[in-house]
Amino acid sequence: SDETLTSRELEVLKLVAEGRTSREIAETLVISIKTVDRHRANIKEKLGARDRVDLTRYAIRRGLVEP
């Protein structure tokens, strides 16, 4: 469910859905790329998502990004 994502994970998800690279997300949030990748893996696992397309669809449904 939505509640399983932390506020940081939601931030990362939003940026992923906007098409940002791990490097761009790391710079935006001032964290390491390794941390971004860990967040991304955790988000995928929590949501049962396979790829960026799944993550983007979820972000749109949640209203995190415009379709």
Side-chain angles (χ1 to χ4, degrees):
S1 73
D2 302 350
E3 287 67 42
T4 59
L5 292 187
T6 65
S7 55
R8 181 57 111 187
E9 286 168 347
L10 287 169
E11 284 180 296
V12 171
L13 174 59
K14 182 180 191 298
L15 293 166
V16 167
E18 288 173 355
R20 307 296 179 84
T21 64
S22 287
R23 180 181 294 282
E24 289 169 332
I25 295 169
E27 287 170 3
T28 301
L29 300 180
V30 197
I31 56 179
S32 73
I33 292 176
K34 191 178 282 183
T35 301
V36 173
D37 290 339
R38 194 175 318 119
H39 282 313
R40 206 192 268 262
N42 290 341
I43 293 163
K44 279 184 180 168
E45 191 175 329
K46 287 180 178 184
L47 299 181
R50 288 160 312 202
D51 52 29
R52 166 175 261 156
V53 174
D54 286 346
L55 294 177
T56 303
R57 283 197 193 108
Y58 177 84
I60 291 168
R61 278 204 311 276
R62 278 293 312 272
L64 298 173
V65 292
E66 295 294 312

